[in-house]
Amino acid sequence: MLTIGPYVRLLKNRRNCVSYLLQWVLASLALCILVASLNRPVSKNAEKGLDPFVKNYQNAINSHKSKTPGMPDTKIEAEYDPCWGRYIYIRDLPSKFNTDLLHNCQSLTRGADDNMCPYIDNMGLGPKVRDDVVDGVLSNGSWFRTNQFMLEVIFHNRLKMYECLTNDSSMSSAVFIPYYAGLDISQVLWNPNISVRDEAGYDLVRWVSSRPEWRRMWGRDHFFVAGRIAWDFRRQTDESSDWGSKMMFLPESRNMTMLSVESSVWKNDLAVPYPTYFHPSDVYDARQWQDRIRNQERPYLFAFAGAPRPELRFTIRGEIIQQCLDSGGKCKLLNCSSLTNNCDNPVNVMKVFQRSVFCLQPRGDSYTRRSTFDSIIAGCIPVFFHSGTAYAQYLWYLPRNYNKYSVYIPFQDAKKGDKIMIQERLLKIPSQRVVEMREEVIKMIPRIVYANRLDGRGDFEDAFDIAMKGVLERVERVRRVIREGGDPSVGFSEQNHFKFDFPLP
């Protein structure tokens, strides 16, 4: 009898083999699909940058990732996002801290009787100088009657057009506080009641430190701008006779950075140039002006624009004015007393500086002077009498080798009773050396002006651009300390007792 058992078992084995084969094929197909999906081509939208989700995520952790040049993630991110490491977030403030001050401009003061209203025009650059009053001194329509105390308004308006703004604070590398600190304090700076002087500072830090972005770095990525000197915000006692407010000594302020026209000896004060009258819109305007003053005739050996200030014991202005008057016509003097208002007119100032080889820059109420930058704009070689007037201040802007662009005559010599013969000292400088120094001064012009830009981009690096770069680098150094487990407070806002020692290191 024929048995079919073996055939049935064989058939079952074949069916099992087919089943196993089918499972293997399906598994292989699934694996291929997965690999293909991981290696899919970049989407059309992603050709211009990272996919939106990935881009937003990576920017959100921007504060915690390394942006040190040469690190792989930085190279990849920078390739897709030109704003990587440069995003700035503008913190919205109650209007009393900025725009209300401009609306009430009659209450603001420059330290004289005039109000500030006319200087608000043109985004803080002030009224444009009319072509019919330039008297052949100015050129190319880039001149404005700019007031030095409008710096915070100029910065705020430039930041509104900054090419790497973000509305998401978690993406930002730094946070800008648009507080018009100088304009605000000017309303109460002479008030004998220190509580009145301190009120706005207390209100500001309470408001800012209550925001979520403050807790990310406890304010060490926050910065603001002041159009006054840092000492106006660093009253060290509670005596009513002591000058200024104590805003920068508040605990929260110690974690912020202040950009001002003159820094103090504390490390979270950083100096930026005073605004001048010259605001070129592009590199062509800047170069045109540089070529003009490079070929300017200069009949005067030296010049001084200022007032005597006999009440100040730490200045040698009186001696300078006397030597100018005794120079036999080699010095040009521009009287800037409040009775004349000569120095409020850019034509008057630039006419004197353009026709002089050297411009004397003694200290006045404080170490620094706007006149330093007016003289540079005119191609006039500055002469300093104290290291705190420029050398120890504008470290982002001026060459470290001060001999390349300036003359230093020690103020201390005069205080010891040794009469400094300025004219004889300047006449000893070889003519070729003078030419080289003037050329260095002229080369500096684009770096120390605030350009009149109609959008966020420019074709040359101006004072604003350099300040933003400096702030971002400062914040990134703090982040690096945090990543490495260090204390971010060390070196951030301490006092530097040797800042104004000379010679500089």
Side-chain angles (χ1 to χ4, degrees):
M1 181 176 180
L2 182 63
T3 60
I4 62 171
Y7 296 100
V8 172
R9 288 193 297 271
L10 178 61
L11 181 60
K12 287 182 178 181
N13 290 337
R14 288 181 177 176
R15 286 176 179 173
N16 288 338
C17 289
V18 171
S19 176
Y20 295 148
L21 179 61
L22 181 59
Q23 292 177 21
W24 182 85
V25 170
L26 291 175
S28 299
L29 180 61
L31 181 61
C32 291
I33 292 173
L34 177 62
V35 172
S37 67
L38 293 176
N39 291 277
R40 71 188 189 282
V42 179
S43 66
K44 184 176 182 180
N45 290 335
E47 289 177 358
K48 298 179 180 179
L50 296 177
D51 287 337
F53 175 80
V54 177
K55 181 177 179 180
N56 289 338
Y57 173 75
Q58 289 188 338
N59 282 318
I61 61 173
N62 187 16
S63 301
H64 311 290
K65 292 179 64 177
S66 172
K67 295 188 284 294
T68 306
M71 294 294 289
D73 59 340
T74 303
K75 287 184 176 180
I76 295 172
E77 183 65 19
E79 179 180 350
Y80 288 105
D81 186 356
C83 287
W84 173 255
R86 299 171 56 216
Y87 282 113
I88 291 179
Y89 175 71
I90 299 180
R91 174 69 267 172
D92 288 335
L93 293 181
S95 59
K96 71 174 184 177
F97 292 118
N98 43 46
T99 55
D100 285 356
L101 295 168
L102 302 184
H103 293 153
N104 299 317
C105 55
Q106 295 88 349
S107 67
L108 305 177
T109 177
R110 300 183 303 157
D113 295 329
D114 297 335
N115 69 61
M116 295 288 285
C117 295
Y119 302 100
I120 297 172
D121 293 350
N122 296 305
M123 298 189 295
L125 301 183
K128 197 164 187 177
V129 178
R130 300 198 321 267
D131 292 338
D132 60 335
V133 298
V134 298
D135 194 26
V137 177
L138 312 180
S139 67
N140 70 22
S142 298
W143 296 84
F144 298 78
R145 294 176 64 91
T146 306
N147 183 273
Q148 67 186 50
F149 298 130
M150 296 303 292
L151 181 66
E152 49 223 33
V153 180
I154 294 171
F155 256 87
H156 189 191
N157 285 313
R158 279 291 297 274
L159 266 164
K160 290 177 183 177
M161 299 183 290
Y162 180 63
E163 60 181 340
C164 294
L165 280 185
T166 176
N167 291 323
D168 183 353
S169 63
S170 67
M171 295 175 61
S172 65
S173 294
V175 177
F176 175 62
I177 307 300
Y179 172 43
Y180 297 167
L183 297 181
D184 196 9
I185 193 64
S186 71
Q187 301 177 106
V188 297
L189 198 50
W190 289 266
N191 193 309
N193 189 330
I194 60 172
S195 296
V196 173
R197 284 185 255 160
D198 294 340
E199 181 180 3
Y202 276 114
D203 288 347
L204 177 80
V205 299
R206 275 196 297 263
W207 197 92
V208 172
S209 63
S210 68
R211 303 297 101 181
E213 60 270 12
W214 178 268
R215 292 188 290 274
R216 183 174 61 178
M217 294 180 65
W218 299 107
R220 291 187 179 88
D221 55 350
H222 287 48
F223 72 101
F224 69 98
V225 177
R228 301 189 69 93
I229 65 173
W231 301 101
D232 289 349
F233 307 94
R234 287 201 176 275
R235 191 186 73 247
Q236 299 186 58
T237 74
D238 286 335
E239 297 294 329
S240 60
S241 59
D242 202 357
W243 179 257
S245 79
K246 63 186 300 182
M247 176 182 169
M248 288 306 293
F249 286 127
L250 300 179
E252 297 87 352
S253 299
R254 294 176 187 272
N255 286 5
M256 294 194 289
T257 296
M258 178 173 67
L259 306 182
S260 61
V261 292
E262 176 181 320
S263 62
S264 69
V265 294
W266 281 268
K267 293 183 179 180
N268 58 332
D269 300 338
L270 301 171
V272 295
Y274 285 82
T276 67
Y277 302 114
F278 183 48
H279 305 281
S281 58
D282 54 37
V283 70
Y284 173 78
D285 285 348
R287 288 176 179 169
Q288 185 184 53
W289 177 253
Q290 287 174 298
D291 290 340
R292 175 183 173 128
I293 60 171
R294 185 175 284 116
N295 300 312
Q296 179 77 39
E297 289 190 16
R298 300 179 184 269
Y300 299 105
L301 175 64
F302 61 109
F304 174 64
R309 313 301 288 276
E311 72 279 9
L312 301 179
R313 60 178 176 78
F314 45 75
T315 185
I316 55 172
R317 287 188 174 209
E319 175 68 19
I320 285 174
I321 291 174
Q322 190 58 51
Q323 290 197 36
C324 188
L325 295 174
D326 295 341
S327 67
K330 286 185 169 56
C331 175
K332 181 64 177 176
L333 177 65
L334 181 64
N335 186 351
C336 293
S337 69
S338 58
L339 299 177
T340 65
N341 289 326
N342 282 331
C343 295
D344 283 344
N345 188 333
V347 175
N348 293 342
V349 175
M350 297 307 294
K351 178 184 271 188
V352 170
F353 288 170
Q354 283 181 50
R355 303 181 70 196
S356 304
V357 179
F358 298 97
C359 288
L360 309 185
Q361 305 296 347
R363 61 174 298 185
D365 292 327
S366 65
Y367 291 115
T368 63
R369 305 185 73 211
R370 170 187 171 150
S371 176
T372 295
F373 297 96
D374 289 333
S375 68
I376 291 173
I377 296 299
C380 187
I381 301 167
V383 179
F384 297 118
F385 301 86
H386 194 287
S387 64
T389 303
Y391 306 144
Q393 294 283 349
Y394 309 102
L395 304 182
W396 291 341
Y397 298 91
L398 305 181
R400 291 287 291 175
N401 183 356
Y402 60 88
N403 289 314
K404 293 178 63 177
Y405 69 94
S406 68
V407 176
Y408 178 66
I409 300 177
F411 164 77
Q412 292 84 350
D413 290 355
K415 296 306 291 182
K416 292 177 182 176
D418 299 329
K419 185 174 182 179
I420 302 174
M421 301 305 297
I422 297 173
Q423 181 173 316
E424 287 78 356
R425 174 72 178 270
L426 298 179
L427 284 171
K428 290 180 181 179
I429 302 175
S431 57
Q432 181 57 36
R433 178 72 184 129
V434 170
V435 172
E436 293 170 356
M437 294 170 71
R438 183 185 305 122
E439 185 59 29
E440 191 68 32
V441 168
I442 293 172
K443 284 165 51 180
M444 290 161 52
I445 291 176
R447 296 175 55 84
I448 58 98
V449 298
Y450 297 95
N452 179 27
R453 290 182 180 157
L454 301 179
D455 54 41
R457 293 180 175 271
D459 53 4
F460 71 95
E461 192 175 55
D462 74 339
F464 170 86
D465 297 323
I466 293 170
M468 291 304 96
K469 182 186 295 184
V471 167
L472 292 168
E473 289 175 352
R474 173 176 167 84
V475 175
E476 175 54 23
R477 284 195 297 271
V478 175
R479 283 199 179 92
R480 192 176 301 120
V481 170
I482 294 173
R483 286 195 298 268
E484 294 172 356
D487 183 352
S489 67
V490 175
F492 188 84
S493 59
E494 285 99 333
Q495 190 174 5
N496 178 7
H497 297 280
F498 307 103
K499 179 171 182 176
F500 298 132
D501 287 0
F502 196 82
L504 298 174

